[in-house]
Amino acid sequence: MDVSSILADQAEKFKSVAVEKDIPLLVDTGLLTVVDPNPIDEDSYKDDLEGHLQSLARDGVQALFAGLFSLPTEQSPDGPLAQLPAPTIQLPRAKPLPKPKPPTKWERFTAAKGIQHRKRDRKEWDEEKQEWVNRWGHNGKNRQTEEQWLTEVPANADADYDPRKTARDERKSRISKNESQRQQNLARAQQSESGTNSSHAQRKTEIEKTLASSRISTASMGRFDKRLDGDKKMRGVKRKFAPNEGSIEEEKVASLALLSRMGSNAKKMRRERPAEESVLNVRKAVRFVNKNGSGAPPARKAKGDKNRS
């Protein structure tokens, strides 16, 4: 009895846990990834594609589990957990690198003047308290003027002068100014990213329209107004006249178009005007004739003839 085929099938089911290949597999337990750099066997790929793929998947999963079981573990309520190391395979970025932010107005000024940037610490030494205090924020040094118990009052100050309120208003104005500058920097950055300066062009167009409307508001329609530096010359709308001499065909087409428009306008007026609003009011004319007995209107009486027979 030949049992070699049965033993071969049994050995195929229980392969060795050690995966041996010509080129070792690249196992990255940090990403739970296995890369097989070995070339594809064309014969097995063409003969049995499903079996070839299952064999590759089995070898990769076996190598991954062997790497996981070799890692240090820690106990948990759910059982031992493996501590995954840092990934070793560099994955490509899903999105492109972020573009560098455009410099702010102050950064451009410092670059032009050669000013070196020096980052200030959040803490500042207070000589009066002999301790380090915050520059801003909670218990910041910028609020010491509002909280100090003695403040010098200027000689020309009003009677209701409040030094705490004045210091608080100055601090609030500085905050609002910084916020306004931040918004302007964001707007300039957005314009530079889009590559267009639409707001500036729109503002320029509005100014030109306003200037043009103000010119023609004078009695001379801006003819004798003083021109500004760099002011563009206003160009009026020139009337276009048809040439006095032309071909007979063009004159025929123009005449037919004019007659067509006149006819369409007359039909439109007849449709819109009711019969009662025609040029001759027939009912009024009939009443006038029946009352006077003739078609001629009655003669007007002179003044003082009321009592005459």
Side-chain angles (χ1 to χ4, degrees):
M1 181 178 180
D2 187 7
V3 295
S4 58
S5 59
I6 300 175
L7 294 176
D9 295 339
Q10 192 70 15
E12 184 70 20
K13 292 181 181 179
F14 301 98
K15 287 185 177 180
S16 174
V17 295
V19 179
E20 296 180 358
K21 291 201 172 186
D22 298 337
I23 303 176
L25 300 179
L26 302 178
V27 181
D28 188 355
T29 54
L31 294 176
L32 302 179
T33 306
V34 178
V35 179
D36 188 358
N38 293 277
I40 299 175
D41 188 3
E42 296 183 1
D43 296 336
S44 60
Y45 181 82
K46 293 179 180 179
D47 296 341
D48 187 6
L49 176 61
E50 189 67 24
H52 178 70
L53 295 179
Q54 289 182 0
S55 176
L56 293 178
R58 182 263 170 195
D59 294 340
V61 172
Q62 182 62 57
L64 178 61
F65 273 91
L68 290 176
F69 277 101
S70 63
L71 296 176
T73 58
E74 60 180 5
Q75 295 297 326
S76 68
D78 299 330
L81 297 179
Q83 300 178 4
L84 298 180
T88 58
I89 298 177
Q90 296 291 335
L91 295 179
R93 289 179 58 90
K95 296 181 179 180
L97 290 172
K99 297 180 181 179
K101 294 183 179 180
T104 61
K105 188 176 181 180
W106 171 251
E107 290 175 350
R108 291 199 301 268
F109 175 78
T110 55
K113 296 296 183 179
I115 301 174
Q116 299 295 330
H117 177 69
R118 182 174 59 88
K119 186 176 180 181
R120 296 191 302 176
D121 298 332
R122 183 175 177 82
K123 295 289 186 177
E124 185 179 0
W125 179 257
D126 191 353
E127 295 291 343
E128 184 179 354
K129 296 181 180 180
Q130 291 297 312
E131 63 180 3
W132 292 94
V133 296
N134 296 328
R135 290 182 180 271
W136 60 86
H138 181 64
N139 295 330
K141 195 173 182 180
N142 58 343
R143 297 191 181 186
Q144 286 185 357
T145 310
E146 305 173 18
E147 300 175 356
Q148 61 186 2
W149 64 277
L150 181 63
T151 305
E152 183 180 358
V153 179
N156 57 349
D158 298 334
D160 56 348
Y161 176 76
D162 187 358
R164 290 190 176 184
K165 183 178 181 301
T166 304
R168 189 184 307 110
D169 294 342
E170 291 178 356
R171 180 172 58 83
K172 293 292 185 181
S173 64
R174 290 195 299 268
I175 294 174
S176 60
K177 179 182 178 181
N178 293 336
E179 180 63 22
S180 176
Q181 291 178 349
R182 189 182 71 86
Q183 295 294 340
Q184 292 176 6
N185 289 331
L186 292 177
R188 281 192 292 267
Q190 186 176 4
Q191 291 174 4
S192 62
E193 288 178 1
S194 59
T196 57
N197 198 354
S198 58
S199 61
H200 179 70
Q202 184 178 3
R203 179 60 179 168
K204 183 178 179 182
T205 305
E206 292 177 357
I207 292 176
E208 290 179 354
K209 289 182 179 179
T210 305
L211 182 60
S213 61
S214 63
R215 285 179 185 173
I216 61 176
S217 61
T218 58
S220 63
M221 301 293 288
R223 184 176 180 181
F224 301 105
D225 294 346
K226 185 178 179 181
R227 295 190 177 276
L228 304 175
D229 295 338
D231 195 2
K232 296 181 180 179
K233 184 178 180 181
M234 289 186 60
R235 297 183 178 274
V237 180
K238 295 184 178 180
R239 297 178 60 186
K240 295 182 180 180
F241 299 94
N244 296 328
E245 298 180 359
S247 62
I248 300 176
E249 188 66 26
E250 293 179 356
E251 186 176 356
K252 177 182 177 182
V253 172
S255 301
L256 290 176
L258 178 60
L259 292 175
S260 177
R261 288 198 300 270
M262 293 173 61
S264 61
N265 292 336
K267 293 179 181 179
K268 183 178 180 181
M269 292 176 63
R270 286 196 297 269
R271 287 196 303 267
E272 294 178 354
R273 178 181 294 176
E276 292 80 0
E277 296 182 1
S278 60
V279 178
L280 177 62
N281 194 333
V282 180
R283 293 183 180 180
K284 188 174 181 180
V286 171
R287 287 198 303 268
F288 181 78
V289 172
N290 292 336
K291 181 178 181 181
N292 298 296
S294 64
R300 297 182 60 183
K301 295 180 179 181
K303 293 182 178 180
D305 293 345
K306 291 183 180 180
N307 298 327
R308 295 181 182 178
S309 58

